Amino acid sequence: MMNRMALVSKFFPAALAGVMLLTSSCGGGSKPEEKKAEAPAPAADPAAEATISGKVSFSGEKPASRAISMDAVPACAQQHKGQVIAEDTVVNANGTLKNVFVYVKAGLPARQWAAPSTPVQLDQKACIYSPRVIGLMIGQDLEISNNDPSMHNVHPLPVKNKEWNTSQAPKGEKIVKQFDKEEVMIRFKCNVHPWMVAYVGVLPHPFFAVTGEDGSFSLKGLPPGEYTLEAWHEKLGTQEIKVTVAAKDAKTADFAFKN
Ligand SMILES: [Cu+2]
């Protein structure tokens, strides 16, 4: 009993000093802790940004070309020479697919990405939406033009965003709209011309691309991380690929759709 008391009194001052030391080191240690809380900060370092690029290939039976009849609307038909082919599945000369929307579906750090101040353009030319597939960020302006001598009625059919439809006079004033919710994809139709269709992807970040005539895509400026990429095609559905990138990595992710 005496021994234990002696031990406590003997070590108490040291223990107290230790507690004080810990307290002061904790106070001093709060700064590194704050840095730890900002862990995604290195991800914002432009020097650490990674790139994922690739192509979207197609194999199997090439879908038959489907002709669109604009005969009932001479103002539209007159602007085309020969048959108008629907662009719902466009296989490029190099065996890749056009109009595939590729984007980061999951894995990004909880950060806010500012929408670009430049609008994304959606044109109506010869009674066709052009481009057929586009992406834009939440809050970014979508500028819709009517280059035709005929009236159109732009009508997006969203599930998560607000639906609207606005008629646009021949070569009329541009329609400028934004979407405030993430949605992949929103189908656009025209209430006047049933063959007109476009697809618009709305994302809270800038990591998306649409394949063109070489079927390739590139997602630049990615923070290091583990990502799920999705490729969306209006007829062939969706595919996912998981890709991990370290700082400054340039990785390849190729999608392969079959029909
Ligand atoms: Cu139209």
Side-chain angles (χ1 to χ4, degrees), residues 151-153 190 192-193 196:
M151 195 192 85
H152 292 294
N153 190 294
C190 169
V192 185
H193 309 114
M196 286 180 68

Side-chain angles (χ1 to χ4, degrees), residues 81-104:
K81 283 173 188 163
Q83 265 193 331
V84 186
I85 304 299
E87 289 185 301
D88 45 12
T89 306
V90 180
V91 180
N92 295 317
N94 65 355
T96 59
L97 280 172
K98 190 183 172 182
N99 290 334
V100 178
F101 186 72
V102 182
Y103 70 105
V104 172

